[in-house]
Amino acid sequence: MGLDEAVSAPVPSPVAGIGFRRGTEAAEIVALVRRALREARADGLSALATAADRADEPALREAAAAFGLAPLPLAPEALAAADADVPTRSARVERLRGIGSLAEAAALAAAGAGARLILPRIASAGATCALAAPGPRA
């Protein structure tokens, strides 16, 4: 098989990690996720993840539904385990959750072992979003 005939393995869709303030509208979260996907040049989304205590918020459920997904809730322990790989440090989030960035930690934790950020945290007025790609499969 020549190089022009090689078939490459599909690249898995990234995971979006989301942080948001109460009162943030679903439309703002959707717009931010779409902006993140454009900036990362990603075509799809495999999950929309956030802290377990925020996953049932109506705005997040509505935003996830816009991508054909349900919110993926993450336990505080999973977020804390991903914190060592989080490059962004928000004093507010560290004070409230003990991690540097909810969006980055959620994206990395949800993408699994060996995940890497493909887009560090970006922000709108009331939300943050980061994208992570799953690590290589063994």
Side-chain angles (χ1 to χ4, degrees), residues 81-122:
D83 189 52
D85 296 320
V86 168
T88 304
R89 308 312 295 178
S90 163
R92 179 179 176 273
V93 175
E94 283 186 310
R95 187 178 68 252
L96 294 172
R97 295 196 175 268
I99 57 176
S101 165
L102 176 55
E104 290 172 352
L108 289 165
R116 62 182 172 73
L117 285 177
I118 60 171
L119 184 71
R121 181 186 80 168
I122 60 171

Short mmCIF file of all heavy atoms in Angstrom, two decimals, residues 81-122:
data_model
loop_
_atom_site.label_atom_id
_atom_site.label_comp_id
_atom_site.label_asym_id
_atom_site.label_seq_id
_atom_site.Cartn_x
_atom_site.Cartn_y
_atom_site.Cartn_z
N ALA A 81 -7.51 14.65 41.00
CA ALA A 81 -6.47 13.79 40.41
C ALA A 81 -5.92 14.38 39.11
O ALA A 81 -4.76 14.17 38.77
CB ALA A 81 -7.04 12.39 40.15
N ALA A 82 -6.74 15.14 38.39
CA ALA A 82 -6.31 15.75 37.13
C ALA A 82 -5.60 17.08 37.34
O ALA A 82 -4.96 17.61 36.42
CB ALA A 82 -7.51 15.96 36.21
N ASP A 83 -5.68 17.63 38.55
CA ASP A 83 -5.17 18.98 38.80
C ASP A 83 -3.68 19.14 38.54
O ASP A 83 -3.24 20.22 38.15
CB ASP A 83 -5.51 19.41 40.23
CG ASP A 83 -5.19 20.87 40.48
OD1 ASP A 83 -5.64 21.73 39.69
OD2 ASP A 83 -4.47 21.16 41.45
N ALA A 84 -2.89 18.12 38.71
CA ALA A 84 -1.45 18.23 38.49
C ALA A 84 -1.12 18.58 37.04
O ALA A 84 -0.07 19.16 36.76
CB ALA A 84 -0.75 16.93 38.87
N ASP A 85 -2.04 18.27 36.11
CA ASP A 85 -1.82 18.54 34.69
C ASP A 85 -2.53 19.80 34.20
O ASP A 85 -2.58 20.06 33.00
CB ASP A 85 -2.27 17.34 33.86
CG ASP A 85 -1.43 16.11 34.15
OD1 ASP A 85 -0.20 16.26 34.30
OD2 ASP A 85 -2.00 15.01 34.25
N VAL A 86 -3.10 20.56 35.12
CA VAL A 86 -3.85 21.78 34.79
C VAL A 86 -2.89 22.96 34.77
O VAL A 86 -2.30 23.30 35.79
CB VAL A 86 -4.98 22.00 35.83
CG1 VAL A 86 -5.59 23.38 35.71
CG2 VAL A 86 -6.04 20.92 35.68
N PRO A 87 -2.70 23.60 33.60
CA PRO A 87 -1.76 24.73 33.53
C PRO A 87 -2.31 26.05 34.06
O PRO A 87 -1.54 26.92 34.47
CB PRO A 87 -1.45 24.85 32.03
CG PRO A 87 -2.65 24.29 31.35
CD PRO A 87 -3.18 23.21 32.27
N THR A 88 -3.62 26.22 34.06
CA THR A 88 -4.22 27.49 34.48
C THR A 88 -4.50 27.45 35.98
O THR A 88 -4.99 26.45 36.49
CB THR A 88 -5.52 27.75 33.72
OG1 THR A 88 -5.25 27.72 32.32
CG2 THR A 88 -6.13 29.09 34.08
N ARG A 89 -4.18 28.52 36.67
CA ARG A 89 -4.41 28.60 38.11
C ARG A 89 -5.30 29.80 38.39
O ARG A 89 -4.85 30.94 38.29
CB ARG A 89 -3.11 28.73 38.90
CG ARG A 89 -2.00 27.72 38.62
CD ARG A 89 -2.39 26.28 38.58
NE ARG A 89 -2.87 25.74 39.83
CZ ARG A 89 -3.28 24.48 39.93
NH1 ARG A 89 -3.26 23.67 38.90
NH2 ARG A 89 -3.72 24.03 41.08
N SER A 90 -6.54 29.57 38.72
CA SER A 90 -7.48 30.63 39.09
C SER A 90 -7.57 30.65 40.61
O SER A 90 -7.95 29.64 41.23
CB SER A 90 -8.86 30.35 38.50
OG SER A 90 -9.86 31.11 39.15
N ALA A 91 -7.26 31.77 41.22
CA ALA A 91 -7.32 31.88 42.68
C ALA A 91 -8.74 31.60 43.18
O ALA A 91 -8.92 30.94 44.20
CB ALA A 91 -6.85 33.26 43.12
N ARG A 92 -9.73 32.07 42.46
CA ARG A 92 -11.12 31.87 42.85
C ARG A 92 -11.48 30.38 42.84
O ARG A 92 -12.07 29.86 43.78
CB ARG A 92 -12.05 32.66 41.92
CG ARG A 92 -13.52 32.49 42.22
CD ARG A 92 -14.37 33.34 41.26
NE ARG A 92 -15.77 33.11 41.50
CZ ARG A 92 -16.48 32.13 40.92
NH1 ARG A 92 -15.91 31.33 40.05
NH2 ARG A 92 -17.74 31.97 41.21
N VAL A 93 -11.12 29.70 41.77
CA VAL A 93 -11.45 28.27 41.65
C VAL A 93 -10.64 27.46 42.66
O VAL A 93 -11.16 26.51 43.26
CB VAL A 93 -11.25 27.77 40.20
CG1 VAL A 93 -11.47 26.27 40.10
CG2 VAL A 93 -12.20 28.50 39.26
N GLU A 94 -9.40 27.83 42.88
CA GLU A 94 -8.60 27.13 43.89
C GLU A 94 -9.23 27.28 45.27
O GLU A 94 -9.27 26.33 46.05
CB GLU A 94 -7.15 27.64 43.89
CG GLU A 94 -6.37 27.06 42.73
CD GLU A 94 -4.90 27.40 42.77
OE1 GLU A 94 -4.56 28.59 42.93
OE2 GLU A 94 -4.10 26.47 42.62
N ARG A 95 -9.74 28.46 45.57
CA ARG A 95 -10.38 28.70 46.86
C ARG A 95 -11.68 27.90 46.99
O ARG A 95 -11.95 27.29 48.02
CB ARG A 95 -10.66 30.20 47.04
CG ARG A 95 -11.18 30.60 48.41
CD ARG A 95 -11.39 32.10 48.55
NE ARG A 95 -12.50 32.57 47.71
CZ ARG A 95 -12.38 33.29 46.60
NH1 ARG A 95 -11.19 33.66 46.16
NH2 ARG A 95 -13.43 33.67 45.92
N LEU A 96 -12.47 27.85 45.92
CA LEU A 96 -13.77 27.17 45.96
C LEU A 96 -13.68 25.65 45.81
O LEU A 96 -14.45 24.92 46.43
CB LEU A 96 -14.69 27.72 44.85
CG LEU A 96 -15.11 29.17 44.97
CD1 LEU A 96 -15.84 29.62 43.71
CD2 LEU A 96 -16.00 29.35 46.20
N ARG A 97 -12.75 25.18 44.96
CA ARG A 97 -12.73 23.75 44.61
C ARG A 97 -11.41 23.05 44.88
O ARG A 97 -11.32 21.84 44.73
CB ARG A 97 -13.11 23.58 43.15
CG ARG A 97 -14.54 24.03 42.88
CD ARG A 97 -15.04 23.51 41.57
NE ARG A 97 -16.44 23.85 41.38
CZ ARG A 97 -17.44 23.06 41.73
NH1 ARG A 97 -17.22 21.89 42.26
NH2 ARG A 97 -18.69 23.44 41.54
N GLY A 98 -10.37 23.80 45.19
CA GLY A 98 -9.08 23.18 45.46
C GLY A 98 -8.34 22.73 44.21
O GLY A 98 -7.40 21.94 44.30
N ILE A 99 -8.74 23.23 43.05
CA ILE A 99 -8.07 22.92 41.78
C ILE A 99 -7.85 24.23 41.03
O ILE A 99 -8.53 25.21 41.29
CB ILE A 99 -8.90 21.93 40.92
CG1 ILE A 99 -10.31 22.46 40.64
CG2 ILE A 99 -8.95 20.56 41.58
CD1 ILE A 99 -11.15 21.60 39.73
N GLY A 100 -6.94 24.21 40.07
CA GLY A 100 -6.61 25.44 39.35
C GLY A 100 -7.64 25.91 38.36
O GLY A 100 -7.90 27.09 38.22
N SER A 101 -8.25 24.97 37.65
CA SER A 101 -9.24 25.29 36.63
C SER A 101 -10.24 24.15 36.53
O SER A 101 -9.86 23.02 36.21
CB SER A 101 -8.57 25.49 35.26
OG SER A 101 -9.53 25.47 34.21
N LEU A 102 -11.49 24.44 36.79
CA LEU A 102 -12.52 23.41 36.68
C LEU A 102 -12.62 22.92 35.25
O LEU A 102 -12.69 21.71 35.00
CB LEU A 102 -13.88 23.94 37.16
CG LEU A 102 -15.06 22.97 36.99
CD1 LEU A 102 -14.79 21.63 37.66
CD2 LEU A 102 -16.33 23.60 37.51
N ALA A 103 -12.60 23.82 34.28
CA ALA A 103 -12.75 23.42 32.87
C ALA A 103 -11.62 22.47 32.45
O ALA A 103 -11.87 21.43 31.85
CB ALA A 103 -12.79 24.65 31.97
N GLU A 104 -10.39 22.83 32.78
CA GLU A 104 -9.25 22.00 32.38
C GLU A 104 -9.24 20.66 33.11
O GLU A 104 -9.02 19.61 32.51
CB GLU A 104 -7.94 22.76 32.60
CG GLU A 104 -7.78 23.91 31.62
CD GLU A 104 -6.59 24.81 31.92
OE1 GLU A 104 -5.94 24.64 32.97
OE2 GLU A 104 -6.31 25.68 31.09
N ALA A 105 -9.49 20.68 34.42
CA ALA A 105 -9.50 19.44 35.19
C ALA A 105 -10.63 18.52 34.71
O ALA A 105 -10.43 17.31 34.58
CB ALA A 105 -9.65 19.73 36.68
N ALA A 106 -11.79 19.09 34.42
CA ALA A 106 -12.92 18.27 33.95
C ALA A 106 -12.62 17.65 32.59
O ALA A 106 -12.90 16.47 32.36
CB ALA A 106 -14.19 19.12 33.89
N ALA A 107 -12.04 18.43 31.69
CA ALA A 107 -11.72 17.90 30.36
C ALA A 107 -10.71 16.76 30.48
O ALA A 107 -10.89 15.69 29.88
CB ALA A 107 -11.17 19.01 29.47
N LEU A 108 -9.66 16.97 31.25
CA LEU A 108 -8.63 15.94 31.40
C LEU A 108 -9.16 14.70 32.10
O LEU A 108 -8.89 13.57 31.68
CB LEU A 108 -7.43 16.51 32.16
CG LEU A 108 -6.58 17.52 31.39
CD1 LEU A 108 -5.65 18.26 32.33
CD2 LEU A 108 -5.81 16.82 30.28
N ALA A 109 -9.91 14.88 33.18
CA ALA A 109 -10.44 13.74 33.94
C ALA A 109 -11.40 12.92 33.08
O ALA A 109 -11.35 11.69 33.08
CB ALA A 109 -11.13 14.22 35.21
N ALA A 110 -12.25 13.60 32.33
CA ALA A 110 -13.24 12.89 31.51
C ALA A 110 -12.61 12.19 30.32
O ALA A 110 -13.10 11.16 29.86
CB ALA A 110 -14.32 13.85 31.04
N ALA A 111 -11.51 12.73 29.81
CA ALA A 111 -10.85 12.12 28.64
C ALA A 111 -10.04 10.89 29.01
O ALA A 111 -9.67 10.11 28.14
CB ALA A 111 -9.97 13.16 27.94
N GLY A 112 -9.75 10.71 30.29
CA GLY A 112 -9.11 9.48 30.75
C GLY A 112 -7.61 9.54 30.84
O GLY A 112 -6.97 10.55 30.56
N ALA A 113 -7.04 8.39 31.23
CA ALA A 113 -5.59 8.28 31.43
C ALA A 113 -4.83 8.67 30.17
O ALA A 113 -5.20 8.27 29.07
CB ALA A 113 -5.22 6.86 31.85
N GLY A 114 -3.80 9.46 30.34
CA GLY A 114 -2.98 9.87 29.21
C GLY A 114 -3.56 11.00 28.39
O GLY A 114 -2.99 11.37 27.35
N ALA A 115 -4.67 11.57 28.83
CA ALA A 115 -5.30 12.67 28.09
C ALA A 115 -4.37 13.88 28.07
O ALA A 115 -3.53 14.05 28.94
CB ALA A 115 -6.63 13.05 28.73
N ARG A 116 -4.56 14.72 27.05
CA ARG A 116 -3.79 15.96 26.96
C ARG A 116 -4.72 17.09 26.54
O ARG A 116 -5.67 16.87 25.76
CB ARG A 116 -2.64 15.82 25.98
CG ARG A 116 -3.09 15.54 24.57
CD ARG A 116 -1.93 15.35 23.60
NE ARG A 116 -2.40 14.91 22.30
CZ ARG A 116 -3.03 15.66 21.41
NH1 ARG A 116 -3.28 16.91 21.67
NH2 ARG A 116 -3.41 15.16 20.25
N LEU A 117 -4.45 18.27 27.04
CA LEU A 117 -5.24 19.43 26.63
C LEU A 117 -4.89 19.78 25.19
O LEU A 117 -3.72 19.87 24.84
CB LEU A 117 -4.95 20.64 27.53
CG LEU A 117 -5.55 20.63 28.91
CD1 LEU A 117 -5.10 21.87 29.68
CD2 LEU A 117 -7.07 20.55 28.88
N ILE A 118 -5.92 19.97 24.38
CA ILE A 118 -5.69 20.46 23.03
C ILE A 118 -6.09 21.93 22.94
O ILE A 118 -5.75 22.60 21.99
CB ILE A 118 -6.40 19.61 21.96
CG1 ILE A 118 -7.91 19.58 22.17
CG2 ILE A 118 -5.82 18.21 21.92
CD1 ILE A 118 -8.68 18.95 21.02
N LEU A 119 -6.82 22.40 23.95
CA LEU A 119 -7.15 23.83 24.06
C LEU A 119 -7.26 24.15 25.54
O LEU A 119 -8.18 23.69 26.20
CB LEU A 119 -8.45 24.17 23.34
CG LEU A 119 -8.81 25.66 23.33
CD1 LEU A 119 -7.87 26.43 22.40
CD2 LEU A 119 -10.24 25.87 22.92
N PRO A 120 -6.32 24.93 26.07
CA PRO A 120 -6.44 25.35 27.47
C PRO A 120 -7.69 26.21 27.64
O PRO A 120 -8.31 26.64 26.67
CB PRO A 120 -5.18 26.16 27.72
CG PRO A 120 -4.25 25.81 26.62
CD PRO A 120 -5.11 25.41 25.45
N ARG A 121 -7.99 26.49 28.86
CA ARG A 121 -9.20 27.22 29.22
C ARG A 121 -9.36 28.52 28.44
O ARG A 121 -8.43 29.31 28.33
CB ARG A 121 -9.14 27.53 30.72
CG ARG A 121 -10.35 28.27 31.23
CD ARG A 121 -10.16 28.67 32.65
NE ARG A 121 -9.33 29.87 32.69
CZ ARG A 121 -9.15 30.61 33.75
NH1 ARG A 121 -9.69 30.26 34.90
NH2 ARG A 121 -8.41 31.68 33.71
N ILE A 122 -10.54 28.69 27.89
CA ILE A 122 -10.97 29.97 27.33
C ILE A 122 -12.20 30.39 28.12
O ILE A 122 -12.85 29.55 28.76
CB ILE A 122 -11.25 29.92 25.81
CG1 ILE A 122 -12.37 28.92 25.48
CG2 ILE A 122 -9.98 29.60 25.04
CD1 ILE A 122 -12.84 28.98 24.03
#
